[in-house]
Amino acid sequence: MADTAPTTVMAGTAPTAAPTAAPLRSPLAGARERLAAVTSASGGAVRLAELPFLTQLDVRLDPKGAAADAVGLALGLTLPVEPDTVVRAGELTALWLGPDEWLVVAPPGRRDLAGRIREAGGEEPVSVVDVSAQRTTLLVSGPRARDLLAHGCALDLHPRAFGAGRCAQTTLGRTQVVLVARDEPSTGFWVLVRSSFAGYLADWLVDAAVEWTGPDLLTERRQIS
């Protein structure tokens, strides 16, 4: 049996601790105060906030196959089949992205959902990709939320055309986003944006809100940058 060299620790030297994981930092952590300032300066006419770390799963399957019903049963909701619509049940929201593609959104940390979807699909062809780190989510609400978004979005955002339960892949301030009209007008909109463009879009929203906040926030941001 080969000799094993003993492990020695120098006197007065503490054992080296294992490195700890760095705390999660959201894409808009540095913009939190500026977003809150818009809410304050506008008197609540426009409310901006980040909803960080939401679980986001890209799901692809045959909407007419057995897997669609099985996955819907496992999630407790029916995957929407009408283009650009949203189905919500409890904490889960399913967004229609294409004829055979959905984005399932849930509170942070719901990694169990991917396994549940795969298990429900059984032998059927089902694709589930965790894209939670790809995007962050901005909440845009308040009485002037639609007016604010209309500054940079070509969609007709009137409630008759884009009311509660609607979603769209579109551009906002020249940035690709997924826009979601929440269940009630007072709950506003989700704006799902790629993490690498989130800072730019936050700046654009702050600038676009100037008619409700006044120029002070715009001036302060330019002085900081």
Side-chain angles (χ1 to χ4, degrees):
M1 183 173 176
D3 293 335
T4 302
T7 301
T8 60
V9 178
M10 294 180 62
T13 303
T16 303
T20 57
L24 291 176
R25 180 177 172 83
S26 72
L28 290 176
R32 188 175 297 118
E33 291 184 2
R34 286 191 289 112
L35 296 177
V38 169
T39 302
S40 176
S42 70
V46 175
R47 301 184 181 95
L48 302 178
E50 183 188 20
L51 304 177
F53 311 125
L54 294 182
T55 300
Q56 300 178 48
L57 302 175
D58 186 88
V59 179
R60 304 199 71 162
L61 52 80
D62 182 356
K64 298 181 180 179
D69 291 335
V71 168
L73 185 62
L75 295 177
L77 55 74
T78 301
L79 296 174
V81 293
E82 181 181 346
D84 299 331
T85 58
V86 178
V87 170
R88 185 168 182 259
E91 295 182 328
L92 304 184
T93 302
L95 315 178
W96 187 96
L97 297 184
D100 65 348
E101 183 178 10
W102 297 265
L103 185 69
V104 176
V105 183
R110 293 298 306 274
R111 302 295 187 262
D112 61 296
L113 291 177
R116 190 190 302 179
I117 294 171
R118 293 189 184 98
E119 182 178 358
E123 298 300 319
E124 295 289 316
V126 176
S127 169
V128 185
V129 180
D130 190 332
V131 294
S132 304
Q134 185 184 77
R135 302 184 185 95
T136 191
T137 304
L138 277 156
L139 176 64
V140 182
S141 61
R144 307 313 295 253
R146 289 180 189 272
D147 297 325
L148 172 61
L149 296 173
H151 281 313
C153 182
L155 291 178
D156 180 0
L157 297 179
H158 192 281
R160 289 193 299 267
F162 199 77
R166 305 294 299 186
C167 66
Q169 298 178 79
T170 184
T171 57
L172 177 63
R174 297 186 294 181
T175 303
Q176 291 185 338
V177 301
V178 179
L179 184 63
V180 182
R182 300 290 287 149
D183 297 335
E184 300 293 337
S186 61
T187 59
F189 299 83
W190 277 354
V191 181
L192 285 72
V193 59
R194 289 186 180 272
S195 298
S196 56
F197 290 97
Y200 162 79
L201 186 59
D203 286 345
W204 182 90
L205 287 167
V206 171
D207 287 354
V210 66
E211 65 180 281
W212 301 288
T213 64
D216 290 345
L217 290 183
L218 181 63
T219 303
E220 288 175 6
R221 188 179 70 78
R222 286 179 174 169
Q223 287 176 345
I224 293 173
S225 59

